[in-house]
Amino acid sequence: MLDLSRLRALHAVHVHGSVSAAAKALGYTPSAVSQQVTKLERETGTPLLERQGRGVVLTDAAGMLVDRTARMLAIMETAEVALEEQRGRPSGRLTVAAFSTAARGLLPRPLAELTRRYPDLDLRVVEEDPHATPHMVAQGTVDLAVVHDWDIAPMTVPDGVVRTVLGEDRCDVVLPRDHPLAALPVLNRKDVAAARWICQPPGTVCHDWLMRTLRPVRAEPDVAHFVAEYQTQIALVEVGLGLAIVPRLGRGSVPDTLVVKPLEPTPVRGVSALWREGTSRRPAVTEAVRLLHEHFALL
């Protein structure tokens, strides 16, 4: 009989594209994943991975096993959801992914309440960029995700993934108190078109929004510093290296040497929760989503 944990390791290599990425998703070391696949090759008497450059590709036999494994994992998830539903309370492992400001500004209180109320629940948190998390939910890497998108760059949700809107997160321009624009009550795009910016790296949702918003009033926005963490952006603004657009969710206090100004049109992020359709009746998911709604409304 084939070992399910070894099949799961092979499936993870297929889903995530490499042994190292599969190990990260499963919480194993790369050598442990390699050992699981090697043992599965011995059990089946069939090569399952082939070297290609610095990476690996699945053989035809591995592809067949992965297809069957995906069906088995779906059946197992259905059984686990039914069992938890029968218990009538959240239990088992619940892995929640969130972008950085939600992990800081939204998750702590509802997740603390979950763990306090339900000691049988094994709660795990993963901080991830919202570009990646919808597919992580669809692939079963995480059970629940808090994501954001912008009105000019809406997020596409994979098939089989359910989405509920938690609310809106407005963003403001952070600039030094002695900046020439600091005296204005409200800034518009033309006011800041020529500014130097501190922003997330290309490929992130926030960077895409800045580019699309400012390009109509400037040939190409001048992003001088690419910084992922908002608190670091604020530190760079404080020493005069540029301006930043910072969301209110998870922003925390701003130094007295800086001012926060609204921008028109107002940058607004929609904040949502995602989960797999097959887990919609799982108590851990329904209770987590309920608490996320409840606590977001209090922000």
Side-chain angles (χ1 to χ4, degrees):
M1 183 177 294
L2 297 177
D3 186 286
L4 184 58
S5 62
R6 293 165 193 166
L7 289 169
R8 191 190 296 269
L10 180 66
H11 180 264
V13 173
H14 166 70
V15 167
H16 300 286
S18 69
V19 171
S20 59
K24 180 181 177 182
L26 294 172
Y28 299 156
T29 63
S31 61
V33 171
S34 295
Q35 288 172 16
Q36 291 282 62
V37 175
T38 299
K39 290 177 180 177
L40 186 59
E41 287 180 322
R42 285 202 296 265
E43 285 180 350
T44 59
T46 306
L48 299 175
L49 296 181
E50 293 179 347
R51 286 284 176 188
Q52 188 174 84
R54 295 186 177 181
V56 295
V57 295
L58 273 66
T59 64
D60 290 342
M64 180 273 294
L65 284 176
V66 162
D67 180 62
R68 270 66 174 181
T69 300
R71 299 180 204 175
M72 287 190 289
L73 293 176
I75 293 170
M76 284 183 60
E77 182 172 78
T78 300
E80 289 167 353
V81 169
L83 185 60
E84 186 177 322
E85 190 178 10
Q86 188 179 58
R87 293 192 189 106
R89 65 184 185 279
S91 60
R93 177 174 292 190
L94 182 74
T95 303
V96 182
F99 56 97
S100 60
T101 50
R104 179 170 63 247
L106 172 61
L107 290 191
R109 291 184 183 277
L111 297 191
E113 189 170 339
L114 266 177
T115 56
R116 184 170 59 252
R117 288 186 181 183
Y118 307 106
D120 292 337
L121 185 64
D122 179 12
L123 188 64
R124 308 293 176 103
V125 176
V126 181
E127 186 178 303
E128 287 285 350
D129 185 271
H131 269 320
T133 44
H135 296 286
M136 293 174 68
V137 173
Q139 294 163 351
T141 305
V142 300
D143 303 300
L144 180 66
V146 178
V147 300
H148 71 73
D149 60 356
W150 304 83
D151 53 353
I152 62 173
M155 175 179 291
T156 300
V157 176
D159 291 340
V161 173
V162 181
R163 176 178 185 171
T164 183
V165 175
L166 299 175
E168 292 184 341
D169 180 26
R170 295 178 178 269
C171 306
D172 305 294
V173 179
V174 178
L175 62 164
R177 188 171 292 278
D178 59 0
H179 193 280
L181 297 176
L184 297 177
V186 178
L187 305 177
N188 61 52
R189 288 185 294 180
K190 291 183 179 180
D191 293 329
V192 298
R196 301 194 85 194
W197 290 96
I198 303 159
C199 183
Q200 274 81 8
T204 60
V205 177
C206 298
H207 180 272
D208 291 350
W209 183 90
L210 182 68
M211 295 295 102
R212 295 189 191 190
T213 299
L214 295 186
R215 275 173 182 154
V217 293
R218 180 180 172 83
E220 188 70 16
D222 181 12
V223 179
H225 309 286
F226 296 103
V227 177
E229 175 56 51
Y230 285 114
Q231 293 303 314
T232 306
Q233 290 184 22
I234 290 173
L236 296 183
V237 173
E238 190 174 16
V239 296
L241 293 179
L243 309 185
I245 293 178
V246 181
R248 298 175 186 178
L249 177 63
R251 182 164 65 201
S253 60
V254 174
D256 293 338
T257 54
L258 302 179
V259 293
V260 177
K261 296 289 180 176
L263 178 67
E264 292 293 344
T266 304
V268 176
R269 306 192 297 181
V271 181
S272 304
L274 308 178
W275 65 92
R276 287 182 300 287
E277 188 174 1
T279 62
S280 289
R281 296 175 61 178
R282 183 184 173 192
V285 171
T286 57
E287 182 67 358
V289 171
R290 185 189 71 78
L291 288 172
L292 287 171
H293 273 291
E294 183 180 292
H295 283 266
F296 195 95
L298 299 175
L299 296 176

